[in-house]
Amino acid sequence: MTVTPPARTSRPAAAPRPRIPAAVAAGALPALSFPQPALWWLTYGALVPWILLVRSAPSARRAALEGWLGGAGFLLAVHHWLLPSLHIFILVLAALLGLLWVPWGLLVHRLLGGDPGPGRTAVALLVVPAGWLLAELVRSWEYLGGPWGLLGASQWQVPAALRLASLGGVWLVGLLLVAVNTALAALVSAPRARRAAGAGLLVCAAVTAGAWWWAPVPRAAGTVRVAVVQPGVMPGGDRGLRRFDREEALTRGLAGRRVDLVVWGESSVGTDLGRDAAVRGRLAALSRAVGADLLVNVDARRSDRPGIFKSSVLVGPDGPTGDRYDKMRLVPFGEYVPARSLLGWATSVGKAAGEDRGRGERQVVMRPRSGSGSGSGSGHGGGPRVGPLICFESAFPDMSRHLARSGAQLIVAQSSTSTFQHSWAPEQHASLAALRAAETWRPVVHATLTGVSAAADARGRTIGRWAGTGASAAVVYDVPLAEGTSPYARLGDWALYGALATLLLYVLLTLRRPVPPAR
């Protein structure tokens, strides 16, 4: 008797589980390009594993999933230092914001999936970077967390990238970085399109070289001496009082050093100067002793307006000069809770703000009225015209650009990272000074209460040495001023608008004549 073996049934597709952690890990890889690791060179290939994974997805639905998971992994890695404050809520935020990379995943799969030819690869070199920029743009909205960890910001210490930033801001740098990664991924995975991928790499190199050789540079306009007072972490009780005493002592030590401006960090004064005459008098006495105005930062309930405000206040020999800037863009959950009626429960699982801070209404350019230093670039014998930013406002390109266009000669960012002192946050925050300086052709001084203080000249080059997280000192920087208006300050976000126009054109052409699906 002949026994007929049972017919073989087709095996079910392999479970996709290994691809899920791979997508999260691939998305997290670019975070190593930022300080502290500062592996800036990694950025030029860090997206390749993620792109290769998404392009090989068996379906568009799976590609969208892996774009989402990679985006969540990237945001978790870049913002991991928020975990002690937000706890499990950071996972919810990363999952929600990671959805912004779903369209990017679909674009990668559609244009690079299968065996793309030269034409489809050439389109990918334009559209895939534009799709990435769209995700960065949306998540840069202040109510979604702001532009912390933009890919282009990882190149803050690369002179050629800083020159590109002076032309098109951090957006242009990010576009070229994603284009390079896209070309490398095509070079590895698309045999029929290697010439197109190679040509794309050459174009990126040519654009960078052209910017390096022919982009305009700022003109020197004298030097100003700026002192940064960083008291450092104050353990134990009565930290506010002891911190003020330490700041006062460090500032008095600047007498005779011929400084033009003294800058204290964020939340350096914990009482309203309109109400506290004693503190007001102590600050005025410090200004007289040093021979320069003080730019302090008040974090207190106002006497003239309801609510708590964080404010940059200029204090001269006779007290506050009247120049005041109230912080406009607040840190979500750290300084206010979005939709508090719905998300107020976040205060019970983390260190979210128990009371929303007040918001300022406009940016301010201040004119210090004193200054005993060289002041050779200030124009009127005092300090330079100063444009203050507070905390993570230095991450917003449009704010520093607006200050430059409004006449600021020096941009000062006042910050504090006491909650995140032993994380990657202080170094990453300080690195933004170089990027904002290169974009605007205005030197930037990053002054911290705790964290890392730094300064950068108008080309984004670091001045002197950073004052690290363990420093408790007054550091003096001889800051070169500059004249002229950078192309980015003059033209604005043209690279971003160009990317959005490219995406719109691609969508319209696709709707009119769909691109064949990946084979």
Side-chain angles (χ1 to χ4, degrees):
M1 182 175 90
T2 304
V3 179
T4 305
R8 290 187 179 182
T9 58
S10 58
R11 285 187 177 182
R17 291 179 183 175
R19 295 181 67 101
I20 292 178
V24 176
L29 183 61
L32 297 176
S33 303
F34 297 92
Q36 286 181 343
L39 305 177
W40 60 266
W41 46 267
L42 184 65
T43 319
Y44 296 89
L47 295 180
V48 172
W50 189 6
I51 293 174
L52 293 178
L53 186 70
V54 173
R55 71 165 292 279
S56 66
S59 66
R61 183 176 180 180
R62 184 67 53 75
L65 173 64
E66 290 167 0
W68 171 41
L69 292 173
F74 175 72
L75 293 172
L76 274 175
V78 172
H79 296 87
H80 72 277
W81 42 272
L82 288 172
L83 187 61
S85 296
L86 297 183
H87 298 293
I88 196 171
F89 196 67
I90 192 175
L91 301 177
V92 178
L93 290 175
L96 290 174
L97 293 178
L99 291 170
L100 297 173
W101 274 267
V102 167
W104 182 78
L106 292 172
L107 288 172
V108 169
H109 185 261
R110 185 177 183 86
L111 292 170
L112 293 178
D115 185 20
R120 191 142 57 97
T121 300
V123 173
L125 291 173
L126 295 174
V127 175
V128 171
W132 179 278
L133 233 62
L134 176 63
E136 288 200 325
L137 171 65
V138 176
R139 69 114 169 169
S140 294
W141 188 35
E142 59 176 303
Y143 298 105
L144 292 180
W148 186 275
L150 297 181
L151 193 65
S154 66
Q155 305 301 292
W156 65 275
Q157 55 186 333
V158 182
L162 293 173
R163 193 69 59 86
L164 284 169
S166 73
L167 297 176
V170 66
W171 310 110
L172 180 58
V173 180
L175 269 178
L176 284 174
L177 286 173
V178 182
V180 168
N181 278 269
T182 304
L184 288 175
L187 203 62
V188 170
S189 63
R192 293 196 304 126
R194 282 175 179 159
R195 287 187 179 180
L201 288 173
L202 288 176
V203 169
C204 291
V207 169
T208 304
W212 178 256
W213 287 107
W214 291 297
V217 294
R219 302 184 301 274
T223 304
V224 66
R225 302 201 84 193
V226 180
V228 171
V229 173
Q230 178 176 314
V233 176
M234 294 287 161
D238 295 328
R239 282 178 291 180
L241 292 176
R242 290 191 297 111
R243 179 183 293 125
F244 189 91
D245 291 341
R246 178 62 177 160
E247 290 166 327
E248 186 176 38
L250 290 171
T251 302
R252 286 196 180 278
L254 294 168
R257 299 190 64 179
R258 299 181 61 80
V259 297
D260 294 292
L261 180 68
V262 180
V263 183
W264 289 13
E266 179 187 15
S267 304
S268 50
V269 177
T271 182
D272 179 60
L273 296 183
R275 180 184 291 124
D276 195 328
V279 170
R280 192 169 64 240
R282 290 170 70 178
L283 291 173
L286 283 176
S287 176
R288 292 192 297 270
V290 175
D293 284 3
L294 277 61
L295 183 63
V296 301
N297 190 274
V298 177
D299 185 359
R301 196 172 298 279
R302 292 274 289 271
S303 57
D304 56 340
R305 294 179 63 180
I308 301 173
F309 287 79
K310 285 190 176 182
S311 307
S312 299
V313 179
L314 194 65
V315 179
D318 300 321
T321 65
D323 289 320
R324 183 187 192 108
Y325 166 67
D326 296 326
K327 187 175 183 181
M328 297 171 61
R329 296 184 182 173
L330 307 179
V331 179
F333 298 98
E335 294 169 336
Y336 79 104
V337 176
R340 184 176 285 273
S341 59
L342 296 176
L343 300 177
W345 57 270
T347 60
S348 63
V349 298
K351 299 178 182 178
E355 178 182 349
D356 292 352
R357 294 292 195 272
R359 290 181 184 271
E361 299 174 351
R362 62 184 181 87
Q363 291 188 261
V364 175
V365 175
M366 301 177 177
R367 163 70 78 178
R369 291 160 174 75
S370 62
S372 56
S374 59
S376 55
S378 59
H380 295 283
R385 292 188 296 273
V386 175
L389 298 170
I390 302 175
C391 190
F392 95 136
E393 288 183 333
S394 66
F396 290 86
D398 65 302
M399 296 195 74
S400 53
R401 192 177 75 240
H402 181 268
L403 288 173
R405 291 179 61 89
S406 299
Q409 296 172 288
L410 172 70
I411 296 173
V412 173
Q414 298 173 299
S415 75
S416 171
T417 55
S418 56
T419 307
F420 315 109
Q421 190 77 347
H422 302 292
S423 71
W424 293 0
E427 284 79 6
Q428 190 173 345
H429 200 178
S431 70
L432 293 174
L435 195 63
R436 300 288 90 86
E439 288 176 336
T440 60
W441 285 3
R442 296 295 179 267
V444 176
V445 172
H446 180 84
T448 60
L449 186 75
T450 62
V452 175
S453 293
D457 69 10
R459 297 192 189 188
R461 298 172 297 195
T462 301
I463 301 171
R465 299 180 62 182
W466 285 9
T469 54
S472 179
V475 183
V476 177
Y477 296 103
D478 290 310
V479 181
L481 301 179
E483 292 179 344
T485 304
S486 71
Y488 177 63
R490 184 168 59 250
L491 301 175
D493 295 323
W494 62 267
L496 182 59
Y497 299 142
L500 297 180
T502 299
L503 274 179
L504 180 60
L505 180 61
Y506 171 75
V507 170
L508 293 176
L509 292 177
T510 301
L511 292 175
R512 184 174 180 181
R513 188 178 62 184
V515 175
R519 291 181 284 129

